[in-house]
Amino acid sequence: MKILRVNRLRSSILSGDISQIGKFNVIERMVNLNADNKRMWFEKIININRNKMIKSMPLSMNYHTI
């Protein structure tokens, strides 16, 4: 997933890129598609572009506290 991030004052000074302060950069961020731990998924999500509905069930918090 690609996102736009602006270079902040502190991070630009620390990295020595003072000319890049306030400029936008495209950064690629990795996303864990299977990071939702509060649901029980019946299959792993492999690709978000697949038009397939994957069934899931919420985990009861009372069940895990016993």
Side-chain angles (χ1 to χ4, degrees):
M1 178 168 79
K2 293 183 180 180
I3 60 170
L4 277 177
R5 294 283 311 250
V6 67
N7 289 334
R8 296 187 177 129
L9 179 65
R10 183 175 188 264
S11 62
S12 294
I13 290 173
L14 290 175
S15 65
D17 291 334
I18 296 175
S19 63
Q20 296 296 319
I21 295 173
K23 295 187 179 176
F24 286 92
N25 291 331
V26 176
I27 297 174
E28 188 159 337
R29 181 177 286 174
M30 299 300 292
V31 177
N32 184 0
L33 298 175
N34 297 302
D36 189 0
N37 294 325
K38 295 180 183 176
R39 300 189 70 80
M40 185 175 80
W41 296 91
F42 297 117
E43 290 182 49
K44 291 258 185 211
I45 300 172
I46 298 170
N47 187 352
I48 59 172
N49 294 324
R50 275 180 32 194
N51 290 331
K52 181 179 180 185
M53 169 97 67
I54 297 176
K55 294 183 179 180
S56 67
M57 173 172 89
L59 295 175
S60 173
M61 295 310 288
N62 293 334
Y63 178 77
H64 291 289
T65 59
I66 296 175

